[in-house]
Amino acid sequence: MDATQKIDIPRSDFIGGSKGLLIGGKWRPSASGKEFDTVNPATGEVIARLAEGDKTDIDEAVAAARRAFEGEWSRWTPYDRQRLLLRVHDVIEKNFDELALLETLDMGAPLSRTKALKTFVSQAILFYASQTRAATTESAPTSFAGQFTALKIKAPVGVVGGIIPWNAPLVSQWWILGPTLATGCTAVLKPAEDASLTALRVAELLLEAGVPDGVVNVVTGFGTGAGAALAAHPDVDRVAFTGSTETGRKIVEASAGNMKRVQLELGGKSPDIVFADADLDIAVPGAAMAVYGNSGQICTAGTRLLVQRSIQDEFVSKLQEFSQTLRVGNGLDPLVNLGPLVSRKQLDRVLEYIDIGAREGASLTSGGKRLAGDLEAGYFVEPTIFAGVNNDMRIAREEIFGPVVSVIPFDDADDAIRIANDTTYGLAGGIWTQSLSTAHQMSQRIKAGTIWVNCYGALDPGVGFGGYKMSGYGWKGGPEHVNGFLYEKVVYMNIG
Ligand code: NAI
Ligand code: MG
């Protein structure tokens, strides 16, 4: 791992200094004047200072969003909004190399990964640009035989609060920005305290693309301050949240004050099921990266790797071999596959789970340690495999959010389904088999919002995804998502 010493570091003028809040089209410090450090998790260095927004700033941002919602923006036609989204698309695409660099420096994912997000982000913006006519009026068929005519109106819901996590802000902010701009809503975005830089830089680019003042506001700060104030705000009509299940529950409670619409995408403990007839040449790297991708910090990660007992030993040894080929290090190094965890807090949490797994009696067959030497200033953990895991163990039940896989043996399809569905989560699942009928039956029986067969992690923003059980509710991406940003109304006219 010593090649990380000689990295030719690309630069962005956005790194360094103090960043403000974007409220009503103006950048300004927090009302309290407070700031906090944001850190590069690969080195532990402070890379910028962020304004610490709290309730006062949220109040002002919501008021700015409300004014924008009621103002000129409400008269924009679907074509105007579509044209705007296409301009946004082009500005984001033009600046994507810088955004990828900022994301890597801020949350640690390798540059190879953050750069590759360009295609997905482009597709997401293009998808939302195609949805601007969702907020329209249609005549609805009625059975009143001529006397009444009914019009069904879909109108933007109003001010949207978006609270996003740190694991992929470059992607997750578009689940707020895209439908907001497509429908004519306005938004207050609260990025995660551990990774806010790309949301701030994107906000600058939105202004450059011509998004009117107040349509998108960004308030950085902590969950207990800015986040909680946004979730509880009486003039926010809808809140969209991605993050932990515990915080999701607090959002639901806070939303009750004004019964705001809520969309939640929470954790997962997704089963990834490998049958004995699977093609191991694709199943081994596929299942490994289903957990290790983004250093395990992905809500859909296939962390419970269910392997048919007859191939367990062969599979685990191939998985170990593959894990050893992965290079962990500073994401600026083009040869690196896995970056650090996002923060000291996440590092401690993941190491604690590794400890718990060992104490619960799972067999730690590879990895398990924090990386030292050149990497000791960052928050790096080795890709880690626990074999012989029992689904009752905490490492099989709780979201770890690190590069840690639990291999759980199963006997047959019924056994696999019993284990797969024995979880409080239901975000995703994977199946590796060469049998079409096994794939078809299993994909119907797993209780989860997305199932991948002989692949893992594919996602089309025009199709979207959602969760069963405690993985949340509402759909992200696809026309259903856009509909969630609309109120429906019917007008009956007595014209007989
Ligand atoms: P978190 O859910 O607390 O943070 C996510 C966002 O919510 C951040 O912007 C945070 O500032 C905000 N927030 C926190 N408390 C809030 C409150 N009371 N009201 C409103 N907003 C609030 O997650 P955290 O602490 O960063 O990570 C802990 C664990 O959560 C991870 O280890 C992982 O298991 C899970 N997680 C899951 C994610 C997913 O995509 N499903 C993403 C991030 C974390
Ligand atoms: Mg950071």
Side-chain angles (χ1 to χ4, degrees):
M1 324 250 161
D2 45 26
T4 47
Q5 288 168 336
K6 298 198 185 60
I7 300 162
D8 182 17
I9 299 179
R11 295 198 60 79
S12 160
D13 292 340
F14 199 71
I15 290 296
S18 290
K19 310 292 166 206
L21 310 175
L22 179 64
I23 296 180
K26 304 276 177 301
W27 292 95
R28 62 158 184 73
S30 61
S32 68
K34 281 197 207 160
E35 291 188 339
F36 63 101
D37 289 339
T38 197
V39 163
N40 176 349
T43 61
E45 284 162 354
V46 174
I47 49 173
R49 291 186 54 76
L50 305 182
E52 186 184 330
D54 61 18
K55 183 173 181 306
T56 314
D57 305 287
I58 289 290
D59 286 347
E60 285 177 28
V62 172
R66 177 61 59 189
R67 276 194 305 278
F69 180 71
E70 307 287 354
E72 176 62 26
W73 175 239
S74 66
R75 289 181 286 281
W76 283 45
T77 66
Y79 298 112
D80 297 333
R81 293 196 301 272
Q82 185 170 36
R83 195 190 285 275
L84 176 67
L85 272 157
L86 294 175
R87 279 202 305 271
V88 166
H89 174 269
D90 291 350
V91 173
I92 295 298
E93 215 171 42
K94 200 171 106 209
N95 291 279
F96 208 85
D97 282 349
E98 183 195 8
L99 292 171
L101 173 64
L102 292 175
E103 186 94 328
T104 293
L105 292 171
D106 205 7
M107 54 69 68
L111 205 48
S112 54
R113 177 183 177 87
T114 55
K115 277 187 172 172
L117 294 175
K118 183 174 184 177
T119 306
F120 185 84
V121 170
S122 161
Q123 289 171 351
I125 303 173
L126 291 176
F127 167 69
Y128 290 110
S130 77
Q131 297 296 301
T132 57
R133 283 170 56 81
T136 48
T137 300
E138 298 170 350
S139 68
T142 67
S143 40
F144 292 125
Q147 167 133 23
F148 290 96
T149 285
L151 295 178
K152 238 180 169 179
I153 300 174
K154 288 185 180 172
V157 73
V159 176
V160 175
I163 301 173
I164 60 170
W166 39 262
N167 55 334
L170 199 45
V171 169
S172 51
Q173 57 190 292
W174 295 102
W175 302 127
I176 312 293
L177 302 173
T180 292
L181 296 176
T183 56
C185 288
T186 59
V188 176
L189 180 66
K190 209 300 280 174
E193 52 273 36
D194 287 316
S196 298
L197 289 182
T198 54
L200 293 168
R201 181 67 184 122
V202 163
E204 286 185 352
L205 295 171
L206 294 182
L207 296 179
E208 188 181 317
V211 172
D213 291 353
V215 169
V216 173
N217 306 274
V218 182
V219 178
T220 49
F222 294 95
T224 46
L230 185 57
H233 201 291
D235 202 31
V236 169
D237 300 286
R238 176 185 168 86
V239 65
F241 171 76
T242 303
S244 65
T245 302
E246 305 89 82
T247 301
R249 188 178 283 116
K250 290 184 191 152
I251 304 278
V252 173
E253 284 162 10
S255 72
N258 68 333
M259 300 294 174
K260 55 175 71 69
R261 272 51 186 160
V262 184
Q263 182 254 314
L264 301 170
E265 199 242 299
L266 309 173
K269 199 72 203 175
S270 299
D272 195 12
I273 307 172
V274 185
F275 283 87
D277 72 344
D279 175 352
L280 294 192
D281 290 341
I282 61 162
V284 170
M289 292 315 291
V291 192
Y292 297 146
N294 212 28
S295 297
Q297 304 166 116
I298 298 187
C299 48
T300 53
T303 47
R304 288 186 300 145
L305 185 48
L306 276 55
V307 178
Q308 197 151 19
R309 208 178 293 277
S310 58
I311 58 161
Q312 189 185 202
D313 292 346
E314 180 191 0
F315 190 90
V316 169
S317 84
K318 288 190 163 164
L319 185 64
Q320 268 172 300
E321 258 168 57
F322 179 84
S323 301
Q324 277 146 21
T325 66
L326 294 171
R327 196 185 181 92
V328 183
N330 188 321
L332 296 176
D333 180 341
L335 297 177
V336 153
N337 306 106
L338 304 182
L341 298 173
V342 74
S343 64
R344 176 83 219 196
K345 177 181 133 188
Q346 287 301 119
L347 173 73
D348 291 344
R349 178 185 163 110
V350 170
L351 292 175
E352 194 189 330
Y353 271 111
I354 292 173
D355 224 47
I356 291 170
R359 275 191 275 123
E360 283 179 310
S363 103
L364 178 63
T365 65
S366 84
K369 286 196 289 296
R370 178 178 183 183
L371 289 168
D374 297 334
L375 298 177
E376 71 189 357
Y379 313 131
F380 297 91
V381 173
E382 293 174 316
T384 299
I385 303 171
F386 278 110
V389 175
N390 178 316
N391 198 49
D392 294 332
M393 293 178 182
R394 281 184 65 194
I395 55 168
R397 305 205 78 80
E398 298 171 20
E399 189 173 54
I400 300 176
F401 236 56
V404 182
V405 58
S406 296
V407 179
I408 305 174
F410 70 90
D411 295 317
D412 56 17
D414 286 343
D415 195 30
I417 284 297
R418 180 187 59 75
I419 299 168
N421 289 337
D422 178 14
T423 169
T424 55
Y425 292 115
L427 197 53
I431 301 156
W432 302 85
T433 175
Q434 299 198 55
S435 155
L436 194 55
S437 119
T438 303
H440 185 62
Q441 288 174 20
M442 295 295 291
S443 50
Q444 292 183 74
R445 294 175 71 192
I446 298 174
K447 296 197 171 82
T450 301
I451 305 293
W452 286 293
V453 177
N454 292 333
C455 63
Y456 206 97
L459 177 58
D460 181 335
V463 179
F465 67 114
Y468 279 37
K469 301 192 258 180
M470 286 178 76
S471 292
Y473 41 67
W475 200 252
K476 280 202 322 203
E480 300 89 333
H481 187 198
V482 178
N483 262 319
F485 282 62
L486 302 172
Y487 273 137
E488 289 194 38
K489 173 194 282 184
V490 64
V491 180
Y492 291 100
M493 287 191 286
N494 182 349
I495 52 177

